[in-house]
Amino acid sequence: MTRARGFTLIEVVMVTAIIGLTTATVIWSLSPNGGADEAARRFAARAALAAQDSVIAGRPTGIDVDAEGYRFLRLRKGQWAEIRGDRHFEPSVWGPELDVSVAMTAATRIPARKTDSSPRPPLIVFDPTGLATPFRLAVTVRDHRLDVSGDERGHIEVQKNADARF
């Protein structure tokens, strides 16, 4: 009895997986915006979710943003408390290559995080009535910039900055 020659299904699947992972890594590393697009879109999607959650839950939800990352807070008994135990609202850290700044109506830069354990009031607040704190968050890598903006009606969008080169 002669044995058939060729590759087994497992060998073909493994080679295909390795090629796919290698291709994805190369494409991601060649990305011209270095992760700014993903970070901006992810923040916008999560902010929109926080706005919807505020209306559905009937209590204010906020986002505390600083140069290191952002976290979600809810107003409970007159105090802002970090949302815990909900995978949609886990804190997020900006990538080391990202420069993030946020402008509020007074065009303030991101303040340094408080050192004590009590949460400060969030920079961005979504009200149960659907109203929100207007903001513009700029995510920059090298000369590539994306802006995430939110208006007082809670509408959030991502825009390529006119000054950036894509």
Side-chain angles (χ1 to χ4, degrees), residues 14-31:
M14 291 302 293
V15 168
T16 304
I18 291 169
I19 291 171
L21 287 172
T22 304
T23 303
T25 302
V26 168
I27 289 172
W28 182 80
S29 67
L30 295 176
S31 173

Side-chain angles (χ1 to χ4, degrees), residues 92-148:
S92 186
V93 177
W94 303 116
E97 69 282 355
L98 297 176
D99 178 33
V100 179
S101 63
V102 80
M104 307 310 281
T105 53
T108 57
R109 294 277 296 178
I110 295 175
R113 180 170 295 287
K114 282 176 56 172
T115 55
D116 66 356
S117 61
S118 65
R120 68 174 181 215
L123 291 176
I124 302 166
V125 177
F126 300 103
D127 190 77
T129 63
L131 297 177
T133 307
F135 70 93
R136 180 173 302 273
L137 180 111
V139 180
T140 308
V141 174
R142 297 178 292 278
D143 59 349
H144 303 285
R145 176 177 159 176
L146 282 118
D147 290 336
V148 180

